[in-house]
Amino acid sequence: MPKKAEQPTSFESSLQQLEQIVTRLESGDLPLEEALTEFERGVQLARAGQQKLQQAEQRVQILLSDDKDAELTPFTPDGE
């Protein structure tokens, strides 16, 4: 079973790695197994990036809430 690659620490890092993977896949020079591995990593990066975007959106929605009397509490993402 393949070992999971370590997740990048930031959204920007994930995006940069994803762009590199897309470039390698679009080149058409990778052997099938390597292309599948790269594709799998790309899917993982895209999902992690989507999750980070959703968490950021939730934080913004909380901060821009119309309820001025709402109690502010520290934001804790589900995965942490």
Side-chain angles (χ1 to χ4, degrees):
M1 187 164 176
K3 189 169 78 174
K4 284 191 173 183
E6 193 174 311
Q7 293 294 325
T9 56
S10 70
F11 175 78
E12 291 78 10
S13 177
S14 294
L15 188 59
Q16 183 179 21
Q17 287 184 28
L18 188 56
E19 288 173 348
Q20 291 170 354
I21 289 171
V22 168
T23 301
R24 286 194 299 270
L25 289 172
E26 286 179 340
S27 75
D29 295 333
L30 295 176
L32 179 60
E33 284 302 314
E34 193 173 336
L36 286 173
T37 301
E38 288 291 299
F39 180 77
E40 181 179 357
R41 177 71 179 137
V43 169
Q44 291 171 350
L45 286 167
R47 287 180 180 161
Q50 182 64 33
Q51 184 178 21
K52 287 180 183 183
L53 285 174
Q54 287 174 342
Q55 290 171 353
E57 182 179 6
Q58 287 175 342
R59 291 175 72 179
V60 168
Q61 286 177 352
I62 290 168
L63 291 170
L64 296 178
S65 171
D66 288 336
D67 187 359
K68 304 280 187 227
D69 297 326
E71 182 179 337
L72 294 179
T73 57
F75 177 79
T76 330
D78 294 335
E80 295 179 14

